[in-house]
Amino acid sequence: MSGIKDVAILAGVAVGTVSRVINNTGAVKPETRRKVKAAIEQLNYVPNEVARNFKMQKSKMVALMLPSIWHPFFSELAYYIEDELDREGYKLMLCNSGGKPEKELYYLDMLEQNKVAGIVGITYNDIENNVSTDIPIISIDRHFSKKITCVTSDNFEGGRLALRELVKAGSKKPAFMGSVTSVFSETMNRREGFVQEAEALGVEYIVYEESDPVQDDESYYGNFIKRYQDVDGVFAITDMFAAKYIEYAKQQGIRVPEDVKVIGYDGIQDHTYFHPVISTIRQPVEEMARLAIKLLFKKIEGETLDRDTYRIPITFRKGETT
Amino acid sequence: MSGIKDVAILAGVAVGTVSRVINNTGAVKPETRRKVKAAIEQLNYVPNEVARNFKMQKSKMVALMLPSIWHPFFSELAYYIEDELDREGYKLMLCNSGGKPEKELYYLDMLEQNKVAGIVGITYNDIENNVSTDIPIISIDRHFSKKITCVTSDNFEGGRLALRELVKAGSKKPAFMGSVTSVFSETMNRREGFVQEAEALGVEYIVYEESDPVQDDESYYGNFIKRYQDVDGVFAITDMFAAKYIEYAKQQGIRVPEDVKVIGYDGIQDHTYFHPVISTIRQPVEEMARLAIKLLFKKIEGETLDRDTYRIPITFRKGETT
DNA sequence: ATTTAGTATTGAAACGTTTCCAACTTGATG
DNA sequence: CATCAAGTTGGAAACGTTTCAATACTAAAT
């Protein structure tokens, strides 16, 4: 493995000169440049990026921390984030926290030690107080504080839109179906929007919210169905919630959309091969991803951002459930 | 940002000693250790991993190169790979090649420059001849040569099993439906197994294979349906192929499974909320992921592997399409 | 021929670790 | 008391770059 020194010797110049040729910095005579390039060619030299990162005290690595890449929403997000990073020659490090706070902290430590250039996080911890150095951070869908810029879909408008669409589809008594995972989560606003719009329109509504349905789907959806027999519309906080509800409802002989209209949130289905195709509030995932990275780059460059939360408009996508 | 030197000064020892304390290497008196730890605590010192990587000439970073993390099969794979890597303190770098050969090559260069400890690749290029240094590589589902160890599901047995299950479900004239993407792909063996078992059992069968249906689903599935009206069973090379076929078939009034039984491959659905739930040959994704990483670690340690292809048994998972 | 103002190039320091050898301390042994 | 081995510690080199002050050229202007 030859280094810059070998190139310098072969080309008969100093290492500094080789460095300047490689990085196109400073002035170097065409003739010298030619010699150096020839030497590089001959030795099959490739710059050692690790050494460079070390010397420069910074790397072109950005970490993406999320609960699980397995979830379709996150994998779509990761896809666009990687793409956007690559455009600027940055690399992506993937950290699955499993949604476990202690693992988030552990990863944060690790990222600090590894001097990543920035972090995009979808976390439960308020990472602000746990990251000691000033690594630039953008969070998605979580609002912590001014220091950590948040990119999110317009959840509030999403909630309002969902309510309106349910009503438009004929629902007289719609319900919001959700759960609470993190107090920092922006997703709360979906409920807020839903409620506010219902009140504004004078529509009777229900709010069903339990802390962690993941533990026991059976009782979460069973209880809902049993308790609110007269509900004829459901705005589920997530497409997965919607899908599960529909499945349980079907088992109880409830037909969707005939008996109950259902709208989800996310838009994880990008095709129509699996049914039901859920009517949903589509998150602008690509836009969110690209914006997040662009903002992160600005922070890395030292710019200060003009806002602490960036909300991107959502759209309704009609499926088979309304 | 304080370094090892600051710690050494504060503790009144030499940098070498601090290093030994941090890494628990060599002998150091309890009293000295205490002093050093105190200094570390006081200065809030964290070791600079980048400097360490540089000095050590190796990093604990493994790259995963795949066509698109967005695809559910790959995102599940990535999930387990990250998990397995983390157990040994390794980090995961994610590279979406988009299936583009030139991008694969570009990433390979980059990974070499970044001195990653190893690569797990699902690629179209024969990466063997394009990676000049000897970075350990494990490939998934692609068999190139002895140098690159391959981890794959037992595609051949999968093909045989699919044929048998179709027959068992009542199909008299089953078809294999696939495409050719890479000559190195192990997935060819699905067809081989299917064909061989059909011949062994004396079952009449069809093989439908076109190069790249992604371009034009309409004609790919349309042609198949038009051409083989008497087919009553389909083994699709992928669950996505199966789902698409079913959708197009439905439009032509063909009922699944009444008129045609369908079996896919992969097992990307880990739930039953979306329909049809496809009968499928389930890839042991978790096992493949963990094995791939374990083998990669062995290669990193310098061990030589006893085989050049590791095939993991598959299972049939019944859904609603047989 | 000498100065001048660029332009090109050199050489060495620095980045934060690990590692290795030499040197110093101990405490036990003869 | 001298010797020795084992246990500790110090100090410096090395890893492959970038960068910067200093020096060496070059060509035009005097």
Side-chain angles (χ1 to χ4, degrees):
Chain A
M1 192 82 303
S2 46
I4 204 172
K5 201 180 242 163
D6 307 286
V7 175
I9 293 169
L10 180 59
V13 300
V15 290
T17 306
V18 178
S19 176
R20 267 172 306 131
V21 170
I22 295 169
N23 301 303
N24 270 312
T25 153
V28 23
K29 259 207 294 208
E31 167 62 7
T32 315
R33 180 183 305 277
R34 208 192 44 69
K35 278 193 302 185
V36 171
K37 288 218 161 143
I40 287 175
E41 189 77 18
Q42 192 180 331
L43 290 175
N44 225 291
Y45 165 79
V46 288
N48 183 331
E49 193 68 25
V50 179
R52 212 194 306 243
N53 289 342
F54 165 62
K55 169 66 189 175
M56 296 279 149
Q57 298 289 67
K58 67 178 182 226
S59 74
K60 288 204 157 195
M61 174 82 68
V62 165
L64 173 61
M65 185 146 88
L66 37 70
S68 165
I69 188 68
W70 197 349
H71 189 290
F73 175 70
F74 293 137
S75 77
E76 183 183 355
L77 191 73
Y79 175 84
Y80 287 115
I81 284 182
E82 200 270 350
D83 186 68
E84 191 67 28
L85 284 174
D86 181 50
R87 292 180 181 204
E88 298 288 335
Y90 276 73
K91 288 136 256 157
L92 176 66
M93 179 168 154
L94 183 67
C95 305
N96 279 315
S97 69
K100 299 198 197 84
E102 70 276 14
K103 196 151 185 212
E104 289 178 1
L105 264 30
Y106 151 78
Y107 269 127
L108 239 28
D109 264 9
M110 187 271 280
L111 295 177
E112 197 180 327
Q113 290 187 22
N114 281 84
K115 307 246 175 293
V116 294
I119 300 176
V120 177
I122 300 130
T123 62
Y124 291 94
N125 282 291
D126 179 356
I127 42 185
E128 179 185 21
N129 301 316
N130 291 106
V131 70
S132 55
T133 57
D134 28 21
I135 303 179
I137 301 183
I138 301 284
S139 95
I140 290 188
D141 269 355
R142 306 281 183 275
H143 184 66
F144 300 111
S145 72
K146 300 224 175 276
K147 232 173 67 186
I148 299 180
T149 307
C150 169
V151 171
T152 179
S153 66
D154 195 336
N155 293 282
F156 186 80
E157 275 307 317
R160 292 184 59 203
L161 184 51
L163 185 280
R164 285 202 302 277
E165 288 290 341
L166 282 175
V167 169
K168 200 204 285 182
S171 174
K172 301 288 181 223
K173 188 167 179 184
F176 170 84
M177 169 181 274
S179 75
V180 187
T181 44
S182 162
V183 282
F184 304 108
S185 180
E186 273 281 321
T187 58
M188 299 315 190
N189 294 328
R190 297 174 193 173
R191 184 196 59 212
E192 294 307 316
F194 176 89
V195 167
Q196 181 160 323
E197 191 70 0
E199 307 220 319
L201 266 48
V203 175
E204 200 184 348
Y205 66 94
I206 298 290
V207 167
Y208 181 72
E209 210 167 31
E210 284 184 14
S211 52
D212 198 349
V214 185
Q215 313 291 3
D216 186 2
D217 282 352
E218 185 81 31
S219 68
Y220 178 86
Y221 296 101
N223 286 345
F224 175 84
I225 291 166
K226 214 177 305 162
R227 202 178 312 165
Y228 303 112
Q229 311 246 357
D230 55 341
V231 154
D232 61 356
V234 168
F235 170 39
I237 195 166
T238 277
D239 285 344
M240 275 316 274
F241 272 74
K244 287 188 190 181
Y245 163 73
I246 291 168
E247 193 66 18
Y248 280 100
K250 192 161 67 178
Q251 289 170 16
Q252 305 296 320
I254 299 170
R255 294 164 307 163
V256 172
E258 293 82 355
D259 303 328
V260 178
K261 324 291 176 204
V262 176
I263 292 183
Y265 201 108
D266 277 355
I268 53 177
Q269 293 175 107
D270 62 328
H271 54 72
T272 56
Y273 311 125
F274 293 102
H275 302 271
V277 177
I278 296 173
S279 295
T280 193
I281 306 296
R282 164 70 177 165
Q283 296 218 50
V285 183
E286 177 172 1
E287 226 179 318
M288 287 167 69
R290 298 203 190 278
L291 177 62
I293 298 306
K294 280 182 184 133
L295 293 175
L296 188 61
F297 284 155
K298 285 197 179 178
K299 279 196 167 187
I300 291 174
E301 313 269 300
E303 289 182 50
T304 45
L305 272 26
D306 52 337
R307 280 187 272 166
D308 64 339
T309 303
Y310 290 76
R311 286 180 218 286
I312 306 182
I314 40 67
T315 51
F316 174 68
R317 189 166 73 190
K318 189 164 167 29
E320 305 166 338
T321 62
T322 46
Chain B
M1 191 85 300
S2 46
I4 205 172
K5 201 179 243 165
D6 306 288
V7 175
I9 293 169
L10 180 58
V13 300
V15 291
T17 307
V18 178
S19 176
R20 272 179 315 238
V21 169
I22 295 169
N23 301 304
N24 271 313
T25 154
V28 22
K29 261 208 291 212
E31 165 62 8
T32 313
R33 180 183 305 277
R34 207 191 44 68
K35 277 194 301 185
V36 171
K37 289 218 162 144
I40 287 175
E41 189 76 20
Q42 193 181 329
L43 289 175
N44 225 291
Y45 164 78
V46 288
N48 182 331
E49 193 68 24
V50 179
R52 212 193 309 241
N53 289 341
F54 165 62
K55 168 67 189 174
M56 296 283 162
Q57 297 289 69
K58 67 179 182 224
S59 74
K60 288 205 157 195
M61 174 82 67
V62 165
L64 173 61
M65 185 146 86
L66 36 71
S68 165
I69 188 67
W70 197 349
H71 189 290
F73 176 70
F74 294 136
S75 76
E76 184 183 354
L77 191 73
Y79 175 83
Y80 287 116
I81 284 182
E82 200 270 350
D83 186 68
E84 191 68 26
L85 284 174
D86 180 51
R87 291 180 181 204
E88 299 288 336
Y90 276 73
K91 289 136 257 158
L92 176 66
M93 179 167 152
L94 183 67
C95 305
N96 280 315
S97 68
K100 300 199 197 84
E102 70 276 13
K103 196 151 185 209
E104 289 178 1
L105 264 30
Y106 151 78
Y107 270 127
L108 241 29
D109 264 9
M110 187 272 281
L111 295 177
E112 197 180 327
Q113 290 187 23
N114 280 85
K115 307 246 173 294
V116 294
I119 300 176
V120 177
I122 301 130
T123 61
Y124 292 94
N125 282 291
D126 179 356
I127 42 185
E128 179 184 22
N129 301 317
N130 292 106
V131 71
S132 55
T133 57
D134 28 21
I135 303 179
I137 301 184
I138 300 285
S139 95
I140 291 189
D141 269 356
R142 305 282 183 274
H143 184 65
F144 300 110
S145 71
K146 300 225 175 275
K147 233 174 64 184
I148 299 180
T149 308
C150 170
V151 171
T152 179
S153 66
D154 195 335
N155 292 282
F156 186 80
E157 274 307 317
R160 293 184 59 203
L161 183 52
L163 185 280
R164 285 202 303 277
E165 288 291 342
L166 282 175
V167 170
K168 201 204 285 184
S171 175
K172 301 289 181 221
K173 188 167 180 183
F176 170 85
M177 169 182 275
S179 74
V180 188
T181 45
S182 163
V183 283
F184 304 107
S185 181
E186 272 281 321
T187 58
M188 299 314 191
N189 294 327
R190 296 175 193 173
R191 184 196 58 212
E192 294 306 317
F194 176 89
V195 167
Q196 182 160 322
E197 191 71 0
E199 306 222 319
L201 264 49
V203 175
E204 199 184 349
Y205 67 93
I206 298 291
V207 167
Y208 181 72
E209 211 167 29
E210 285 185 13
S211 52
D212 199 348
V214 185
Q215 313 292 4
D216 186 2
D217 282 352
E218 185 80 30
S219 67
Y220 178 87
Y221 296 101
N223 286 344
F224 175 84
I225 291 167
K226 214 176 306 165
R227 202 178 313 165
Y228 304 112
Q229 311 245 357
D230 54 342
V231 155
D232 61 356
V234 168
F235 169 39
I237 195 167
T238 277
D239 285 345
M240 275 316 273
F241 272 75
K244 287 187 189 180
Y245 163 72
I246 292 167
E247 193 65 19
Y248 280 100
K250 194 161 66 178
Q251 290 171 15
Q252 306 295 321
I254 299 170
R255 294 164 306 162
V256 173
E258 292 81 357
D259 304 326
V260 179
K261 325 290 176 202
V262 176
I263 291 183
Y265 201 107
D266 276 354
I268 53 176
Q269 293 175 106
D270 63 327
H271 54 71
T272 56
Y273 310 127
F274 292 102
H275 302 272
V277 177
I278 296 172
S279 295
T280 192
I281 306 297
R282 164 71 176 164
Q283 296 218 50
V285 183
E286 177 172 1
E287 226 179 318
M288 288 166 69
R290 297 201 191 279
L291 176 62
I293 298 305
K294 278 180 184 135
L295 293 174
L296 188 61
F297 283 156
K298 285 196 178 178
K299 279 198 168 186
I300 291 174
E301 314 270 302
E303 289 183 49
T304 45
L305 272 26
D306 51 337
R307 279 186 273 166
D308 65 338
T309 304
Y310 291 76
R311 286 179 217 286
I312 306 182
I314 41 66
T315 52
F316 174 68
R317 188 166 73 189
K318 191 165 166 28
E320 304 166 339
T321 62
T322 46

